[in-house]
Amino acid sequence: MAKVNVYVTLKPALLDAQGKVVQGALENLGFDSIESVRMGKFIEIEVNGGNGTLEQDVDEMCRKLLANPNIENYRYEIVKDGE
Amino acid sequence: MKFGVVIFPGSNCDQDAFCAVRDVLGQPVEYIWHQSTDVSGFDCIVLPGGFSYGDYLRTGAVARFSPVMNAVQDFADNGGRLIGICNGFQILCEAHLLPGALIDNNGLRFICKHVNLRVENNNTDFTNLCSEGQVLSIPIAHHGGNYYADADTLKKIEDNNQVILRYCDSAGKVTPEANPNGSLNNIAGIINDRGNVAGMMPHPERAVESILGSEDGTLILQSIVERLMA
């Protein structure tokens, strides 16, 4: 069993409207030293069996579905492997 | 000639599109279920608006992998006319059948209203009954209609005259105030480089009878018939 954490974020060139709103709300709460807030997605995947292609597979999952390369960046970490 | 309207789980403009084709254009039309793997016999396929797969992950991201989309891809590769409206446009971008992407409106609000659109290119399968620069009144209804493409892609589609519709004011001026959602260059609709695939956020099928407030959408849909009959 392996566990994979995938993080998907909007590319820096894009305006992150949600991040801006959250930033405004945090500033309203008095946190006045905030430079910026950007929001993204966190996806947890559990994978059965290890056939040695996990990293390739996860990369393909990200490219094909989990992230849209036109607008998003992704990164992932395999946190639990081969137990 | 026969139209097909694809139904994804969560499509909600399929019946509007179906009725516009059948009752206003007077053309044969059938629904195509998202599990279908065969779209032979159709001359034009419509991907309708709605919230396919609940807009989960990203709008259109899951519908793009519906079984029917392989057949739709082949249909487009073979030159079939394909138009995506609203969620259909989002699906076509996710499927790389059209360049760019649609992200959340910059105001983060769902916007439902009539907008003015300037016809930028009337020499297409989807706008040939319009005059260049004509201002159309067609409604939008979306939360994620903010068109984005990287600088190179944007330049390419602009240079190639692939932008067919732009948000404008009632006089046809393309202004920041007339841009409802933050779309780059006020882009509301585009075609692919081959010219047989179109995507637009406004809903032409909701503007096909005067009782709906505008008949301008008919010009878009009838243009397809005009080109296929030619």
Side-chain angles (χ1 to χ4, degrees):
Chain A
M1 170 82 88
K3 197 171 150 227
V4 184
N5 291 337
V6 180
Y7 305 86
V8 180
T9 51
L10 269 184
K11 286 188 173 175
L14 277 84
L15 171 75
D16 178 3
Q18 284 192 83
K20 276 263 178 276
V21 170
V22 172
Q23 180 177 351
L26 288 171
E27 284 165 353
N28 287 343
L29 286 173
F31 298 101
D32 52 11
S33 57
I34 293 173
E35 274 290 323
S36 76
V37 176
R38 304 208 34 107
M39 290 181 54
K41 296 181 187 120
F42 169 60
I43 302 160
E44 278 181 321
I45 304 173
E46 290 188 340
V47 187
N48 270 322
N51 53 7
T53 61
L54 182 58
E55 220 168 308
Q56 268 169 270
D57 289 351
V58 173
D59 206 69
E60 196 179 340
M61 290 178 206
C62 291
R63 275 184 289 111
K64 280 194 170 166
L65 179 65
L66 301 180
N68 178 342
N70 283 331
I71 50 171
E72 292 168 324
N73 293 323
Y74 64 86
R75 65 186 174 84
Y76 54 86
E77 58 202 14
I78 296 167
V79 293
K80 219 168 43 169
D81 200 357
E83 279 184 2
Chain B
M1 61 170 297
K2 191 163 76 174
F3 280 74
V5 178
V6 177
I7 306 176
F8 297 100
S11 293
N12 65 10
C13 300
D14 43 331
Q15 293 192 31
D16 301 61
F18 187 95
C19 291
V21 173
R22 183 190 60 189
D23 301 335
V24 180
L25 304 185
Q27 298 295 330
V29 56
E30 283 176 22
Y31 289 118
I32 303 170
W33 188 236
H34 64 105
Q35 298 284 4
S36 171
T37 53
D38 178 16
V39 297
S40 54
F42 292 102
D43 301 292
C44 176
I45 292 178
V46 182
L47 302 190
F51 299 85
S52 58
Y53 295 89
D55 280 350
Y56 294 161
L57 195 63
R58 294 177 308 279
T59 55
V62 182
R64 179 254 158 125
F65 291 104
S66 282
V68 74
M69 285 305 290
N70 284 329
V72 168
Q73 172 98 46
D74 291 342
F75 175 82
D77 289 347
N78 290 324
R81 268 63 169 201
L82 175 61
I83 180 168
I85 300 165
C86 198
N87 189 221
F89 185 13
Q90 295 163 337
I91 295 168
L92 289 178
C93 286
E94 281 286 337
H96 309 303
L97 282 161
L98 288 172
L102 293 145
I103 59 175
D104 283 350
N105 298 342
N106 60 357
L108 288 179
R109 293 178 67 175
F110 186 94
I111 308 168
C112 183
K113 64 175 185 181
H114 270 261
V115 295
N116 295 304
L117 303 165
R118 192 172 80 184
V119 178
E120 295 290 295
N121 179 354
N122 68 337
N123 186 25
T124 77
D125 293 352
F126 307 91
T127 53
N128 55 70
L129 290 176
C130 308
S131 49
E132 196 180 331
Q134 184 173 356
V135 178
L136 309 178
S137 174
I138 296 180
I140 54 169
H142 61 244
H143 186 276
N146 183 351
Y147 183 78
Y148 175 85
D150 62 48
D152 290 346
T153 306
L154 194 63
K155 182 173 187 319
K156 200 173 137 220
I157 63 172
E158 290 285 3
D159 292 351
N160 243 347
N161 287 322
Q162 286 174 245
V163 177
I164 56 171
L165 299 167
R166 257 187 251 276
Y167 301 108
C168 66
D169 66 18
S170 57
K173 271 184 76 177
V174 175
T175 63
E177 294 74 31
N179 187 341
N181 52 26
S183 291
L184 289 179
N185 298 4
N186 283 42
I187 289 172
I190 59 171
I191 51 173
N192 64 346
D193 51 6
R194 186 172 173 184
N196 64 315
V197 179
M200 58 188 290
M201 287 314 294
H203 287 270
E205 81 285 7
R206 293 191 192 179
V208 291
E209 290 176 288
S210 55
I211 197 171
L212 297 173
S214 168
E215 296 178 289
D216 292 349
T218 314
L219 291 169
I220 302 285
L221 300 173
Q222 188 69 40
S223 288
I224 305 170
V225 178
E226 200 68 17
R227 194 51 66 92
L228 283 167
M229 293 291 198

